[in-house]
Amino acid sequence: MSNNYLFSSESVSVGHPDKIADQLADTILDAILAQDPKARVACEVSVSTGLVLVVGEISTSAFVDIQSLVRNKIKEIGYRDKKFGFDGDTCAVLTAIDEQSSDIAQGVNDPEDAKHQQNDLELGAGDQGIMFGFATNETESYMPLGLVLAHKLMKQAKKVREDGTLSYLGPDAKSQVTIEYNENDQPQRVDAVVLSTQHLANIELNQLRSDVLEKIIKPIIPKNLLDEKTKFYINPTGRFVIGGPQADTGQTGRKIMVDTYGGYARNGGGAFSGKDATKVDRSAAYMARYVAKNLVAAGIAPKIQIQVSYAIGLEKPLSLNVNTFGKSKYTNKQIIKVINQLFDFRPGAIIKKLDLQRPIYAPLAAFGHFGRDDLDLTWEKLDKVSDIKNLINTF
């Protein structure tokens, strides 16, 4: 009897309402960091029919034109006129921004504390919480195969829409890929592909389904993963003309599985977009991915999950947990000793090591924060592999 199993992951396009919100929040963050690298930013965005609402707590010396940033980003995403129900030139843009709470600020970096003034490494965590990092050797990017393919499908949909190959497609789209794994957790085949995309009203469903299969799906899904049993569901409900913010409200932080590991690994629940790096929801999650990826690349285990936890205002993590899913010849005690010697999980040290006080975040707000081969991300570098190999056997 086969012990194979199925696992599915999804992605969404740049024009999905929740992803519009994420991109707007990180665009504002980047604009602020470009002027004030030490700004405190917690920015959230909601989008709905004809409306963008920007809220949050921001403490900065920078001045940014939020109206222009929002409108230009919406048009860049693809909502340039009313044919897809949302328009960067005519939507209302409302803002409600306050300064960061003084109670939170003193916990992160007390201006009266000489220690904090002298050493940025002593920054306290911006909040309590738990963060996870994950890596698997099943793909070259050390990410789960289903999520990698789902992201690639959305990138391809964006490409054929923007280059005119399928100009009738709208910015709003979703993909989902189901992988069949064997009992050793190795991907065997693609069992199903779901792709739903917004389109103009005059396009016949049969044409759309044929075009999407030939121009988006087949160029992306490797032929060796497809067989006669693979199922394709393209716009399974049929018509998808009304989409984007006209169809659904979008909110920052509602696509955290798309942002991380596609549900294949645990998630701490904290969103990334719109937050500066003192918020450990973001920075510690990046660090945990960095550690997990280097450990897997060093051959410690085929897949590894890292959990780290914090208390607000404290610089050192409360806990560190490693899960090798029973597939490492090394003990968790050995692995944690390696982590503690080679990696520093204090928020200030993470910010310094990964160089996080830069305007690098808007491109991350679509297609995931990890495994990106199109971006030069510090937390994706494999620069600790040799050190791990040299150290692990000394304990």
Side-chain angles (χ1 to χ4, degrees), residues 295-332:
L295 288 170
V296 171
I300 302 303
K303 58 182 179 178
I304 290 176
Q305 178 181 271
I306 305 290
Q307 187 211 48
V308 63
S309 70
Y310 293 86
I312 188 169
L314 300 186
E315 65 210 45
K316 293 183 179 180
L318 300 183
S319 66
L320 178 66
N321 177 269
V322 175
N323 186 354
T324 61
F325 305 91
K327 295 187 176 181
S328 178
K329 66 179 181 180
Y330 303 102
T331 67
N332 281 11

PDB file of all heavy atoms in Angstrom, residues 295-332:
ATOM      1  N   LEU A 295      21.972  25.624   7.633  1.00  0.00           N
ATOM      2  CA  LEU A 295      22.060  24.302   8.259  1.00  0.00           C
ATOM      3  C   LEU A 295      21.730  23.193   7.267  1.00  0.00           C
ATOM      4  O   LEU A 295      22.428  22.178   7.188  1.00  0.00           O
ATOM      5  CB  LEU A 295      21.124  24.227   9.470  1.00  0.00           C
ATOM      6  CG  LEU A 295      21.536  25.025  10.709  1.00  0.00           C
ATOM      7  CD1 LEU A 295      20.401  25.044  11.719  1.00  0.00           C
ATOM      8  CD2 LEU A 295      22.804  24.457  11.344  1.00  0.00           C
ATOM      9  N   VAL A 296      20.673  23.388   6.488  1.00  0.00           N
ATOM     10  CA  VAL A 296      20.303  22.374   5.498  1.00  0.00           C
ATOM     11  C   VAL A 296      21.377  22.265   4.423  1.00  0.00           C
ATOM     12  O   VAL A 296      21.769  21.161   4.015  1.00  0.00           O
ATOM     13  CB  VAL A 296      18.929  22.693   4.878  1.00  0.00           C
ATOM     14  CG1 VAL A 296      18.640  21.769   3.700  1.00  0.00           C
ATOM     15  CG2 VAL A 296      17.822  22.552   5.921  1.00  0.00           C
ATOM     16  N   ALA A 297      21.891  23.395   3.971  1.00  0.00           N
ATOM     17  CA  ALA A 297      22.938  23.385   2.950  1.00  0.00           C
ATOM     18  C   ALA A 297      24.209  22.711   3.452  1.00  0.00           C
ATOM     19  O   ALA A 297      24.969  22.146   2.662  1.00  0.00           O
ATOM     20  CB  ALA A 297      23.241  24.804   2.494  1.00  0.00           C
ATOM     21  N   ALA A 298      24.419  22.753   4.764  1.00  0.00           N
ATOM     22  CA  ALA A 298      25.583  22.100   5.356  1.00  0.00           C
ATOM     23  C   ALA A 298      25.364  20.610   5.568  1.00  0.00           C
ATOM     24  O   ALA A 298      26.281  19.918   6.056  1.00  0.00           O
ATOM     25  CB  ALA A 298      25.920  22.774   6.687  1.00  0.00           C
ATOM     26  N   GLY A 299      24.191  20.110   5.240  1.00  0.00           N
ATOM     27  CA  GLY A 299      23.921  18.689   5.352  1.00  0.00           C
ATOM     28  C   GLY A 299      23.511  18.224   6.734  1.00  0.00           C
ATOM     29  O   GLY A 299      23.533  17.020   7.029  1.00  0.00           O
ATOM     30  N   ILE A 300      23.098  19.160   7.589  1.00  0.00           N
ATOM     31  CA  ILE A 300      22.700  18.779   8.946  1.00  0.00           C
ATOM     32  C   ILE A 300      21.421  17.947   8.930  1.00  0.00           C
ATOM     33  O   ILE A 300      21.254  17.018   9.719  1.00  0.00           O
ATOM     34  CB  ILE A 300      22.526  20.035   9.828  1.00  0.00           C
ATOM     35  CG1 ILE A 300      23.817  20.848   9.865  1.00  0.00           C
ATOM     36  CG2 ILE A 300      22.082  19.647  11.235  1.00  0.00           C
ATOM     37  CD1 ILE A 300      25.019  20.068  10.348  1.00  0.00           C
ATOM     38  N   ALA A 301      20.495  18.269   8.036  1.00  0.00           N
ATOM     39  CA  ALA A 301      19.255  17.506   7.867  1.00  0.00           C
ATOM     40  C   ALA A 301      18.639  17.913   6.538  1.00  0.00           C
ATOM     41  O   ALA A 301      18.913  19.009   6.035  1.00  0.00           O
ATOM     42  CB  ALA A 301      18.282  17.763   9.017  1.00  0.00           C
ATOM     43  N   PRO A 302      17.785  17.054   5.946  1.00  0.00           N
ATOM     44  CA  PRO A 302      17.138  17.409   4.683  1.00  0.00           C
ATOM     45  C   PRO A 302      16.197  18.590   4.794  1.00  0.00           C
ATOM     46  O   PRO A 302      15.998  19.327   3.830  1.00  0.00           O
ATOM     47  CB  PRO A 302      16.382  16.134   4.296  1.00  0.00           C
ATOM     48  CG  PRO A 302      16.990  15.050   5.092  1.00  0.00           C
ATOM     49  CD  PRO A 302      17.474  15.675   6.354  1.00  0.00           C
ATOM     50  N   LYS A 303      15.597  18.750   5.952  1.00  0.00           N
ATOM     51  CA  LYS A 303      14.759  19.913   6.199  1.00  0.00           C
ATOM     52  C   LYS A 303      14.836  20.266   7.673  1.00  0.00           C
ATOM     53  O   LYS A 303      14.947  19.388   8.529  1.00  0.00           O
ATOM     54  CB  LYS A 303      13.311  19.695   5.754  1.00  0.00           C
ATOM     55  CG  LYS A 303      12.590  18.526   6.393  1.00  0.00           C
ATOM     56  CD  LYS A 303      11.177  18.415   5.821  1.00  0.00           C
ATOM     57  CE  LYS A 303      10.431  17.224   6.416  1.00  0.00           C
ATOM     58  NZ  LYS A 303       9.048  17.127   5.902  1.00  0.00           N
ATOM     59  N   ILE A 304      14.787  21.547   7.952  1.00  0.00           N
ATOM     60  CA  ILE A 304      14.955  22.034   9.324  1.00  0.00           C
ATOM     61  C   ILE A 304      14.008  23.193   9.563  1.00  0.00           C
ATOM     62  O   ILE A 304      13.826  24.062   8.708  1.00  0.00           O
ATOM     63  CB  ILE A 304      16.403  22.486   9.584  1.00  0.00           C
ATOM     64  CG1 ILE A 304      17.340  21.276   9.626  1.00  0.00           C
ATOM     65  CG2 ILE A 304      16.520  23.279  10.886  1.00  0.00           C
ATOM     66  CD1 ILE A 304      18.806  21.627   9.789  1.00  0.00           C
ATOM     67  N   GLN A 305      13.422  23.195  10.752  1.00  0.00           N
ATOM     68  CA  GLN A 305      12.569  24.300  11.192  1.00  0.00           C
ATOM     69  C   GLN A 305      13.162  24.895  12.464  1.00  0.00           C
ATOM     70  O   GLN A 305      13.518  24.172  13.387  1.00  0.00           O
ATOM     71  CB  GLN A 305      11.159  23.798  11.453  1.00  0.00           C
ATOM     72  CG  GLN A 305      10.191  24.853  11.961  1.00  0.00           C
ATOM     73  CD  GLN A 305       8.827  24.255  12.202  1.00  0.00           C
ATOM     74  OE1 GLN A 305       7.994  24.212  11.317  1.00  0.00           O
ATOM     75  NE2 GLN A 305       8.596  23.772  13.405  1.00  0.00           N
ATOM     76  N   ILE A 306      13.265  26.215  12.486  1.00  0.00           N
ATOM     77  CA  ILE A 306      13.784  26.951  13.649  1.00  0.00           C
ATOM     78  C   ILE A 306      12.654  27.767  14.258  1.00  0.00           C
ATOM     79  O   ILE A 306      11.905  28.428  13.535  1.00  0.00           O
ATOM     80  CB  ILE A 306      14.913  27.916  13.232  1.00  0.00           C
ATOM     81  CG1 ILE A 306      16.038  27.194  12.488  1.00  0.00           C
ATOM     82  CG2 ILE A 306      15.440  28.675  14.440  1.00  0.00           C
ATOM     83  CD1 ILE A 306      16.868  26.290  13.336  1.00  0.00           C
ATOM     84  N   GLN A 307      12.520  27.708  15.570  1.00  0.00           N
ATOM     85  CA  GLN A 307      11.613  28.624  16.266  1.00  0.00           C
ATOM     86  C   GLN A 307      12.401  29.464  17.249  1.00  0.00           C
ATOM     87  O   GLN A 307      13.290  28.961  17.945  1.00  0.00           O
ATOM     88  CB  GLN A 307      10.518  27.887  17.041  1.00  0.00           C
ATOM     89  CG  GLN A 307       9.478  28.837  17.635  1.00  0.00           C
ATOM     90  CD  GLN A 307       8.858  28.351  18.936  1.00  0.00           C
ATOM     91  OE1 GLN A 307       9.557  27.935  19.848  1.00  0.00           O
ATOM     92  NE2 GLN A 307       7.542  28.401  19.010  1.00  0.00           N
ATOM     93  N   VAL A 308      12.079  30.759  17.298  1.00  0.00           N
ATOM     94  CA  VAL A 308      12.690  31.665  18.262  1.00  0.00           C
ATOM     95  C   VAL A 308      11.583  32.511  18.872  1.00  0.00           C
ATOM     96  O   VAL A 308      10.573  32.794  18.222  1.00  0.00           O
ATOM     97  CB  VAL A 308      13.774  32.536  17.586  1.00  0.00           C
ATOM     98  CG1 VAL A 308      13.174  33.422  16.506  1.00  0.00           C
ATOM     99  CG2 VAL A 308      14.551  33.358  18.598  1.00  0.00           C
ATOM    100  N   SER A 309      11.731  32.884  20.137  1.00  0.00           N
ATOM    101  CA  SER A 309      10.704  33.696  20.792  1.00  0.00           C
ATOM    102  C   SER A 309      11.341  34.866  21.531  1.00  0.00           C
ATOM    103  O   SER A 309      12.515  34.819  21.915  1.00  0.00           O
ATOM    104  CB  SER A 309       9.891  32.844  21.781  1.00  0.00           C
ATOM    105  OG  SER A 309      10.677  32.479  22.906  1.00  0.00           O
ATOM    106  N   TYR A 310      10.535  35.923  21.722  1.00  0.00           N
ATOM    107  CA  TYR A 310      11.020  37.158  22.326  1.00  0.00           C
ATOM    108  C   TYR A 310      10.007  37.721  23.307  1.00  0.00           C
ATOM    109  O   TYR A 310       8.805  37.444  23.217  1.00  0.00           O
ATOM    110  CB  TYR A 310      11.287  38.224  21.249  1.00  0.00           C
ATOM    111  CG  TYR A 310      12.423  37.908  20.318  1.00  0.00           C
ATOM    112  CD1 TYR A 310      12.221  37.133  19.180  1.00  0.00           C
ATOM    113  CD2 TYR A 310      13.701  38.386  20.581  1.00  0.00           C
ATOM    114  CE1 TYR A 310      13.266  36.841  18.318  1.00  0.00           C
ATOM    115  CE2 TYR A 310      14.760  38.108  19.719  1.00  0.00           C
ATOM    116  CZ  TYR A 310      14.531  37.329  18.596  1.00  0.00           C
ATOM    117  OH  TYR A 310      15.567  37.032  17.750  1.00  0.00           O
ATOM    118  N   ALA A 311      10.510  38.560  24.219  1.00  0.00           N
ATOM    119  CA  ALA A 311       9.670  39.416  25.063  1.00  0.00           C
ATOM    120  C   ALA A 311       9.989  40.862  24.713  1.00  0.00           C
ATOM    121  O   ALA A 311      11.156  41.205  24.469  1.00  0.00           O
ATOM    122  CB  ALA A 311       9.924  39.164  26.540  1.00  0.00           C
ATOM    123  N   ILE A 312       8.994  41.720  24.680  1.00  0.00           N
ATOM    124  CA  ILE A 312       9.207  43.105  24.297  1.00  0.00           C
ATOM    125  C   ILE A 312      10.214  43.773  25.229  1.00  0.00           C
ATOM    126  O   ILE A 312      10.168  43.620  26.453  1.00  0.00           O
ATOM    127  CB  ILE A 312       7.863  43.881  24.279  1.00  0.00           C
ATOM    128  CG1 ILE A 312       8.070  45.274  23.692  1.00  0.00           C
ATOM    129  CG2 ILE A 312       7.231  43.934  25.655  1.00  0.00           C
ATOM    130  CD1 ILE A 312       6.762  45.996  23.385  1.00  0.00           C
ATOM    131  N   GLY A 313      11.151  44.495  24.631  1.00  0.00           N
ATOM    132  CA  GLY A 313      12.140  45.237  25.392  1.00  0.00           C
ATOM    133  C   GLY A 313      13.383  44.453  25.764  1.00  0.00           C
ATOM    134  O   GLY A 313      14.398  45.045  26.132  1.00  0.00           O
ATOM    135  N   LEU A 314      13.331  43.123  25.655  1.00  0.00           N
ATOM    136  CA  LEU A 314      14.499  42.307  25.994  1.00  0.00           C
ATOM    137  C   LEU A 314      15.304  42.019  24.734  1.00  0.00           C
ATOM    138  O   LEU A 314      14.742  41.716  23.686  1.00  0.00           O
ATOM    139  CB  LEU A 314      14.072  40.998  26.659  1.00  0.00           C
ATOM    140  CG  LEU A 314      13.281  41.112  27.960  1.00  0.00           C
ATOM    141  CD1 LEU A 314      13.064  39.739  28.573  1.00  0.00           C
ATOM    142  CD2 LEU A 314      13.987  42.028  28.958  1.00  0.00           C
ATOM    143  N   GLU A 315      16.613  42.092  24.857  1.00  0.00           N
ATOM    144  CA  GLU A 315      17.445  41.944  23.667  1.00  0.00           C
ATOM    145  C   GLU A 315      17.725  40.491  23.303  1.00  0.00           C
ATOM    146  O   GLU A 315      17.969  40.177  22.131  1.00  0.00           O
ATOM    147  CB  GLU A 315      18.762  42.702  23.853  1.00  0.00           C
ATOM    148  CG  GLU A 315      19.625  42.127  24.965  1.00  0.00           C
ATOM    149  CD  GLU A 315      20.493  43.173  25.639  1.00  0.00           C
ATOM    150  OE1 GLU A 315      19.978  44.253  25.934  1.00  0.00           O
ATOM    151  OE2 GLU A 315      21.673  42.884  25.858  1.00  0.00           O
ATOM    152  N   LYS A 316      17.719  39.599  24.276  1.00  0.00           N
ATOM    153  CA  LYS A 316      18.029  38.209  23.989  1.00  0.00           C
ATOM    154  C   LYS A 316      16.743  37.385  23.856  1.00  0.00           C
ATOM    155  O   LYS A 316      15.776  37.615  24.583  1.00  0.00           O
ATOM    156  CB  LYS A 316      18.918  37.622  25.085  1.00  0.00           C
ATOM    157  CG  LYS A 316      20.305  38.235  25.132  1.00  0.00           C
ATOM    158  CD  LYS A 316      21.183  37.566  26.182  1.00  0.00           C
ATOM    159  CE  LYS A 316      22.578  38.181  26.194  1.00  0.00           C
ATOM    160  NZ  LYS A 316      23.451  37.547  27.217  1.00  0.00           N
ATOM    161  N   PRO A 317      16.724  36.417  22.942  1.00  0.00           N
ATOM    162  CA  PRO A 317      15.540  35.567  22.790  1.00  0.00           C
ATOM    163  C   PRO A 317      15.252  34.780  24.072  1.00  0.00           C
ATOM    164  O   PRO A 317      16.161  34.468  24.847  1.00  0.00           O
ATOM    165  CB  PRO A 317      15.930  34.613  21.654  1.00  0.00           C
ATOM    166  CG  PRO A 317      17.073  35.249  20.968  1.00  0.00           C
ATOM    167  CD  PRO A 317      17.789  36.068  21.986  1.00  0.00           C
ATOM    168  N   LEU A 318      13.992  34.474  24.269  1.00  0.00           N
ATOM    169  CA  LEU A 318      13.602  33.656  25.409  1.00  0.00           C
ATOM    170  C   LEU A 318      13.846  32.179  25.159  1.00  0.00           C
ATOM    171  O   LEU A 318      14.109  31.413  26.083  1.00  0.00           O
ATOM    172  CB  LEU A 318      12.119  33.875  25.723  1.00  0.00           C
ATOM    173  CG  LEU A 318      11.680  35.283  26.086  1.00  0.00           C
ATOM    174  CD1 LEU A 318      10.201  35.277  26.444  1.00  0.00           C
ATOM    175  CD2 LEU A 318      12.505  35.839  27.231  1.00  0.00           C
ATOM    176  N   SER A 319      13.724  31.770  23.892  1.00  0.00           N
ATOM    177  CA  SER A 319      13.881  30.352  23.575  1.00  0.00           C
ATOM    178  C   SER A 319      14.345  30.173  22.148  1.00  0.00           C
ATOM    179  O   SER A 319      14.142  31.046  21.292  1.00  0.00           O
ATOM    180  CB  SER A 319      12.556  29.599  23.781  1.00  0.00           C
ATOM    181  OG  SER A 319      11.576  30.035  22.847  1.00  0.00           O
ATOM    182  N   LEU A 320      14.965  29.027  21.903  1.00  0.00           N
ATOM    183  CA  LEU A 320      15.382  28.625  20.569  1.00  0.00           C
ATOM    184  C   LEU A 320      15.099  27.141  20.425  1.00  0.00           C
ATOM    185  O   LEU A 320      15.519  26.340  21.260  1.00  0.00           O
ATOM    186  CB  LEU A 320      16.867  28.906  20.354  1.00  0.00           C
ATOM    187  CG  LEU A 320      17.462  28.480  19.010  1.00  0.00           C
ATOM    188  CD1 LEU A 320      16.859  29.298  17.872  1.00  0.00           C
ATOM    189  CD2 LEU A 320      18.983  28.629  19.036  1.00  0.00           C
ATOM    190  N   ASN A 321      14.350  26.772  19.391  1.00  0.00           N
ATOM    191  CA  ASN A 321      13.976  25.380  19.174  1.00  0.00           C
ATOM    192  C   ASN A 321      14.356  24.961  17.763  1.00  0.00           C
ATOM    193  O   ASN A 321      14.196  25.720  16.815  1.00  0.00           O
ATOM    194  CB  ASN A 321      12.467  25.191  19.392  1.00  0.00           C
ATOM    195  CG  ASN A 321      12.017  23.769  19.113  1.00  0.00           C
ATOM    196  OD1 ASN A 321      11.641  23.427  18.000  1.00  0.00           O
ATOM    197  ND2 ASN A 321      12.040  22.942  20.142  1.00  0.00           N
ATOM    198  N   VAL A 322      14.861  23.740  17.635  1.00  0.00           N
ATOM    199  CA  VAL A 322      15.225  23.183  16.340  1.00  0.00           C
ATOM    200  C   VAL A 322      14.455  21.895  16.109  1.00  0.00           C
ATOM    201  O   VAL A 322      14.375  21.037  17.000  1.00  0.00           O
ATOM    202  CB  VAL A 322      16.734  22.889  16.255  1.00  0.00           C
ATOM    203  CG1 VAL A 322      17.081  22.193  14.942  1.00  0.00           C
ATOM    204  CG2 VAL A 322      17.535  24.168  16.399  1.00  0.00           C
ATOM    205  N   ASN A 323      13.878  21.756  14.925  1.00  0.00           N
ATOM    206  CA  ASN A 323      13.171  20.528  14.544  1.00  0.00           C
ATOM    207  C   ASN A 323      13.773  20.010  13.247  1.00  0.00           C
ATOM    208  O   ASN A 323      13.698  20.672  12.210  1.00  0.00           O
ATOM    209  CB  ASN A 323      11.680  20.808  14.362  1.00  0.00           C
ATOM    210  CG  ASN A 323      10.876  19.546  14.105  1.00  0.00           C
ATOM    211  OD1 ASN A 323      11.426  18.458  13.953  1.00  0.00           O
ATOM    212  ND2 ASN A 323       9.563  19.677  14.051  1.00  0.00           N
ATOM    213  N   THR A 324      14.393  18.824  13.308  1.00  0.00           N
ATOM    214  CA  THR A 324      14.963  18.198  12.108  1.00  0.00           C
ATOM    215  C   THR A 324      14.075  17.078  11.592  1.00  0.00           C
ATOM    216  O   THR A 324      14.483  16.328  10.709  1.00  0.00           O
ATOM    217  CB  THR A 324      16.361  17.646  12.403  1.00  0.00           C
ATOM    218  OG1 THR A 324      16.267  16.656  13.434  1.00  0.00           O
ATOM    219  CG2 THR A 324      17.306  18.757  12.843  1.00  0.00           C
ATOM    220  N   PHE A 325      12.887  16.948  12.142  1.00  0.00           N
ATOM    221  CA  PHE A 325      11.890  15.977  11.700  1.00  0.00           C
ATOM    222  C   PHE A 325      12.429  14.543  11.754  1.00  0.00           C
ATOM    223  O   PHE A 325      12.053  13.685  10.956  1.00  0.00           O
ATOM    224  CB  PHE A 325      11.396  16.322  10.290  1.00  0.00           C
ATOM    225  CG  PHE A 325      10.861  17.726  10.181  1.00  0.00           C
ATOM    226  CD1 PHE A 325      11.681  18.784   9.819  1.00  0.00           C
ATOM    227  CD2 PHE A 325       9.526  17.995  10.494  1.00  0.00           C
ATOM    228  CE1 PHE A 325      11.192  20.077   9.751  1.00  0.00           C
ATOM    229  CE2 PHE A 325       9.030  19.293  10.428  1.00  0.00           C
ATOM    230  CZ  PHE A 325       9.864  20.331  10.060  1.00  0.00           C
ATOM    231  N   GLY A 326      13.317  14.305  12.731  1.00  0.00           N
ATOM    232  CA  GLY A 326      13.852  12.964  12.945  1.00  0.00           C
ATOM    233  C   GLY A 326      14.796  12.481  11.862  1.00  0.00           C
ATOM    234  O   GLY A 326      15.060  11.275  11.766  1.00  0.00           O
ATOM    235  N   LYS A 327      15.354  13.405  11.087  1.00  0.00           N
ATOM    236  CA  LYS A 327      16.165  12.983   9.936  1.00  0.00           C
ATOM    237  C   LYS A 327      17.576  13.554   9.969  1.00  0.00           C
ATOM    238  O   LYS A 327      18.192  13.772   8.929  1.00  0.00           O
ATOM    239  CB  LYS A 327      15.456  13.373   8.642  1.00  0.00           C
ATOM    240  CG  LYS A 327      14.129  12.629   8.447  1.00  0.00           C
ATOM    241  CD  LYS A 327      13.527  12.881   7.101  1.00  0.00           C
ATOM    242  CE  LYS A 327      12.257  12.052   6.916  1.00  0.00           C
ATOM    243  NZ  LYS A 327      11.651  12.248   5.586  1.00  0.00           N
ATOM    244  N   SER A 328      18.099  13.778  11.177  1.00  0.00           N
ATOM    245  CA  SER A 328      19.471  14.241  11.307  1.00  0.00           C
ATOM    246  C   SER A 328      20.265  13.259  12.160  1.00  0.00           C
ATOM    247  O   SER A 328      19.739  12.677  13.115  1.00  0.00           O
ATOM    248  CB  SER A 328      19.515  15.623  11.955  1.00  0.00           C
ATOM    249  OG  SER A 328      20.853  16.047  12.133  1.00  0.00           O
ATOM    250  N   LYS A 329      21.517  13.085  11.805  1.00  0.00           N
ATOM    251  CA  LYS A 329      22.395  12.228  12.623  1.00  0.00           C
ATOM    252  C   LYS A 329      22.932  12.989  13.833  1.00  0.00           C
ATOM    253  O   LYS A 329      23.578  12.397  14.702  1.00  0.00           O
ATOM    254  CB  LYS A 329      23.546  11.692  11.783  1.00  0.00           C
ATOM    255  CG  LYS A 329      24.527  12.730  11.290  1.00  0.00           C
ATOM    256  CD  LYS A 329      25.644  12.080  10.482  1.00  0.00           C
ATOM    257  CE  LYS A 329      26.662  13.113   9.987  1.00  0.00           C
ATOM    258  NZ  LYS A 329      27.754  12.478   9.206  1.00  0.00           N
ATOM    259  N   TYR A 330      22.661  14.295  13.860  1.00  0.00           N
ATOM    260  CA  TYR A 330      23.108  15.118  14.968  1.00  0.00           C
ATOM    261  C   TYR A 330      21.972  15.352  15.954  1.00  0.00           C
ATOM    262  O   TYR A 330      20.798  15.386  15.578  1.00  0.00           O
ATOM    263  CB  TYR A 330      23.631  16.461  14.458  1.00  0.00           C
ATOM    264  CG  TYR A 330      24.751  16.335  13.462  1.00  0.00           C
ATOM    265  CD1 TYR A 330      24.502  16.501  12.093  1.00  0.00           C
ATOM    266  CD2 TYR A 330      26.039  16.042  13.877  1.00  0.00           C
ATOM    267  CE1 TYR A 330      25.539  16.387  11.171  1.00  0.00           C
ATOM    268  CE2 TYR A 330      27.082  15.920  12.952  1.00  0.00           C
ATOM    269  CZ  TYR A 330      26.816  16.087  11.601  1.00  0.00           C
ATOM    270  OH  TYR A 330      27.827  15.954  10.693  1.00  0.00           O
ATOM    271  N   THR A 331      22.310  15.532  17.220  1.00  0.00           N
ATOM    272  CA  THR A 331      21.299  15.817  18.228  1.00  0.00           C
ATOM    273  C   THR A 331      20.913  17.289  18.180  1.00  0.00           C
ATOM    274  O   THR A 331      21.684  18.137  17.699  1.00  0.00           O
ATOM    275  CB  THR A 331      21.812  15.484  19.636  1.00  0.00           C
ATOM    276  OG1 THR A 331      22.875  16.387  19.969  1.00  0.00           O
ATOM    277  CG2 THR A 331      22.323  14.040  19.705  1.00  0.00           C
ATOM    278  N   ASN A 332      19.717  17.580  18.688  1.00  0.00           N
ATOM    279  CA  ASN A 332      19.302  18.981  18.766  1.00  0.00           C
ATOM    280  C   ASN A 332      20.255  19.791  19.631  1.00  0.00           C
ATOM    281  O   ASN A 332      20.498  20.978  19.372  1.00  0.00           O
ATOM    282  CB  ASN A 332      17.878  19.077  19.310  1.00  0.00           C
ATOM    283  CG  ASN A 332      16.837  18.779  18.247  1.00  0.00           C
ATOM    284  OD1 ASN A 332      17.165  18.310  17.160  1.00  0.00           O
ATOM    285  ND2 ASN A 332      15.587  19.040  18.558  1.00  0.00           N
TER     286      ASN A 332
END
